[in-house]
Amino acid sequence: MQLFYNPNISENDKQVIFPKDESRHIVKVLRKTEGDELSITNGNGMLFKAQIIQADVKQCIASINSFESQPAPPYYLHMMVAPTKMNDRYEWFLEKAMEIGVHEITPVICDHSERKTVKLERYQRVLLSAMKQSLHMHFPKLNEPVGFSELMQTEMPGMRLIAHCEDDEKKPYLQNKLKANSTINILIGPEGDFSPNEIKTAMDENWQQISLGESRLRTETAAIAACHTVALINQNS
């Protein structure tokens, strides 16, 4: 199945009109024509089956024939990850997290962050491409970048976990802290790790420290390892 995306359609709609860029892709690149069937999601768990009634590169129109709802996963994963120095590595994290399963993403600017700005529009496009490729029906929430101090003052439901590289024999492995079908917030630092003051602040705010294994991982690798661990715990529940 090839999946298309239109965030504006609902179960009450009779047809869908694609914007110019998506219309061009459907008609000129994929060579779809009148009568061809399309599978479309709105990113909110809905899958629509539609038939092209106007194959125009400037405005492709399809008639909706049926729809079904994909239930949301029983768990909720919020990944808070510091931007990497090389932007393509963060985009790799976004792509793989989307494929594995993530519900919310927040870039976090830390004391040791070498990249202080991000391009959210670019990140949205990476997530969208990965969603269509992996046939997911739920598009994750991508938040504006936030500073570490501000994040510490933000209320959030569920477990709040921070993965850092400082030696501490008391740090439990992530898989031993997780419970299936729960809300999990995981904080991953930049290449230079969190500063000692940031780690202390997190502990003072009742964040729980966790380990992702014995190896020292890059930021994006640590984030993907965390996503995969959460996904596996929930698949086995």
Side-chain angles (χ1 to χ4, degrees):
M1 181 177 70
Q2 188 169 37
L3 189 63
F4 298 89
Y5 175 67
N6 190 304
N8 300 316
I9 57 175
S10 69
E11 56 268 33
N12 297 320
D13 292 329
K14 301 301 181 183
Q15 66 178 27
V16 54
I17 301 175
F18 291 95
K20 185 176 179 179
D21 56 343
E22 189 81 310
S23 295
R24 184 182 183 278
H25 180 70
I26 292 171
V27 177
K28 190 168 185 179
V29 178
L30 299 178
R31 300 185 182 280
K32 300 288 187 180
T33 187
E34 283 85 356
D36 287 346
E37 187 177 76
L38 302 177
S39 298
I40 312 162
T41 183
N42 61 2
N44 293 317
M46 301 295 297
L47 175 64
F48 300 84
K49 295 293 186 179
Q51 190 174 43
I52 296 177
I53 58 176
Q54 178 178 305
D56 190 306
V57 293
K58 294 182 179 180
Q59 188 181 75
C60 180
I61 303 175
S63 175
I64 298 173
N65 297 326
S66 64
F67 64 86
E68 61 184 80
S69 178
Q70 182 185 75
Y75 70 99
Y76 190 90
L77 175 59
H78 180 191
M79 293 297 302
M80 294 153 285
V81 184
T84 53
K85 180 180 179 180
M86 302 299 293
N87 201 45
D88 61 338
R89 285 164 49 195
Y90 202 85
E91 292 179 4
W92 181 83
F93 148 66
L94 294 172
E95 178 183 85
K96 302 310 173 188
M98 180 73 249
E99 293 177 13
I100 296 169
V102 67
H103 309 91
E104 187 173 354
I105 298 168
T106 302
V108 183
I109 309 303
C110 303
D111 288 344
H112 296 160
S113 293
E114 295 189 58
R115 178 179 291 276
K116 304 290 187 180
T117 60
V118 300
K119 297 180 179 179
L120 284 185
E121 288 187 5
R122 169 66 185 173
Y123 288 176
Q124 289 275 11
R125 290 195 295 271
V126 171
L127 287 169
L128 176 57
S129 176
M131 182 189 74
K132 293 193 291 186
Q133 186 276 329
S134 56
L135 303 182
H136 280 292
M137 307 299 167
H138 294 272
F139 193 73
K141 180 182 180 183
L142 178 62
N143 297 318
E144 294 282 346
V146 63
F148 184 91
S149 297
E150 183 182 348
L151 181 69
M152 288 295 106
Q153 303 303 314
T154 303
E155 293 187 8
M156 56 186 73
M159 299 182 67
R160 297 182 299 167
L161 309 175
I162 179 172
H164 61 79
C165 298
E166 283 197 3
D167 293 332
D168 190 332
E169 295 180 356
K170 297 181 181 179
K171 283 195 300 185
Y173 289 119
L174 172 59
Q175 61 266 32
N176 295 331
K177 292 291 295 182
L178 295 175
K179 295 181 180 179
N181 304 337
S182 60
T183 297
I184 309 106
N185 306 279
I186 301 179
L187 181 54
I188 306 290
E191 283 92 337
D193 199 14
F194 298 106
S195 67
N197 182 62
E198 287 173 331
I199 296 173
K200 181 181 183 304
T201 299
M203 297 299 99
D204 291 343
E205 294 293 334
N206 296 317
W207 285 69
Q208 301 177 63
Q209 57 185 351
I210 48 100
S211 170
L212 296 172
E214 301 302 321
S215 299
R216 181 176 287 263
L217 305 177
R218 288 180 178 269
T219 294
E220 69 277 15
T221 310
I224 290 302
C227 287
H228 193 244
T229 300
V230 173
L232 286 178
I233 290 295
N234 281 276
Q235 285 179 2
N236 292 332
S237 63

